[in-house]
Amino acid sequence: MKMEFIRKLPIPKEIKEQFPLSKKTARVKAARDEEMKKIFTGESDKFILIIGPCSADREDAVLDYVGRLAEVQEKVKDKIFIIPRIYTGKPRTTGDGYKGLMHQPDPTAKPDMLRGIIAMRQLHLQALEQTGLGCADEMLYPANQRSLSDILSYVAVGARSVENQEHRLVSSGMDIPVGMKNPTSGDISVMMNSITAAQHAHTFLFRGWEVQSKGNPYAHAILRGYVNKHGQAQPNYHYEDLQFLADTYAAHSDLANPAVIVDTNHSNSGKKYMEQIRIAKEVLHSMRHSTDIRKLVKGLMIESYIEGGTQKIGECIYGKSITDPCLGWDDTERLIYDIAEAL
């Protein structure tokens, strides 16, 4: 094999023991998790916002951002349920480039997976303990998911991973909502197959064990747009797209809790980050004009940080994305209040 085995990393249990979650914080998280599940089952009509940086590049700015979200959450808690994005693994289309905090805790330095795994857990742990908000992350490596299984409140499976069998089966063993994005091709059937797999029970191999999952009834859809055969970004958040997904869910009587989160960035916005404001408001408009869509749409996914736009690695502008461009804080805060008023 043309691979150099650098070192054996600690197992997730050892990482958890080194950086434990307090019993008090665990109770706070459990209560919020139950509240969120009621949104997906339809018992609660609160609106979910999964919101935060494209990638969690530095601890201080991310914790500052999540703290600001916590203050806003208190003001809109009657209508909106906020889940901060702390994405520590960054999928790359070609495999090259910055792969996230888990790979490079210092984006300007060489990869260091041991430091990265520790930094990943510490960041999620601090955010939860400081604000009481359970956060979201993307499942880049299913085998590493156990490192955060006691801390995360929401997991997303990305457009490049949604067809992967291991991602689907590991999702079936989680007890928190898992969002399945449509693939980059836009084929909705792929996403629906992934949701079906995640909601069913399975026996499979995981971390050297034969395991049995029970199925995850909170697995659901995320619409993030797609790329056509010419490589052009195409949206799938319009009224017709949402109605089509509602009809598709209706044809899958074996699926529990029909739900979708609409990703306002990526191919839906063509990575024109300011378009997220308009897209969010259009989705709300569609919800007002269709009972089916209103029942189906549980919330939005928004890429946002302290400073708007993006920067190159090494520029060191505090709170500005080094991957995809994000909304700045002032625009974000205003949008959250606008959404709350419109609900």
Side-chain angles (χ1 to χ4, degrees), residues 39-76:
I39 300 173
F40 281 100
T41 62
E43 297 172 72
S44 169
D45 61 358
K46 288 186 180 181
F47 195 72
I48 293 172
L49 291 182
I50 303 167
I51 185 167
C54 174
S55 59
D57 59 328
R58 50 186 289 179
E59 179 182 288
D60 54 354
V62 171
L63 291 176
D64 179 355
Y65 177 87
V66 175
R68 298 183 191 199
L69 278 183
E71 292 180 5
V72 175
Q73 170 66 102
E74 188 61 26
K75 297 175 182 178
V76 298

Side-chain angles (χ1 to χ4, degrees), residues 234-246:
Q234 301 293 317
N236 60 7
Y237 63 84
H238 294 308
Y239 182 95
E240 294 80 7
D241 300 302
L242 296 173
Q243 188 62 57
F244 178 80
L245 182 58

Side-chain angles (χ1 to χ4, degrees), residues 34 42 108 172 262 275:
E34 287 305 309
T108 65
S172 76
V262 178
E275 286 292 288

Side-chain angles (χ1 to χ4, degrees), residues 6-7 9 55-57 87-92 95-121 137-141 144:
I6 300 171
R7 59 186 165 187
L9 296 173
S55 59
D57 59 328
Y87 277 29
T88 57
K90 179 66 180 174
R92 309 304 305 192
D96 295 330
Y98 176 65
K99 296 182 179 68
L101 183 79
M102 181 168 53
H103 277 255
Q104 291 172 265
D106 179 352
T108 65
K110 293 181 179 180
D112 187 328
M113 297 298 294
L114 177 58
R115 281 187 58 214
I117 290 170
I118 291 172
M120 172 185 71
R121 180 162 178 90
D137 204 340
E138 182 167 344
M139 181 163 51
L140 187 57
Y141 301 120
N144 196 47

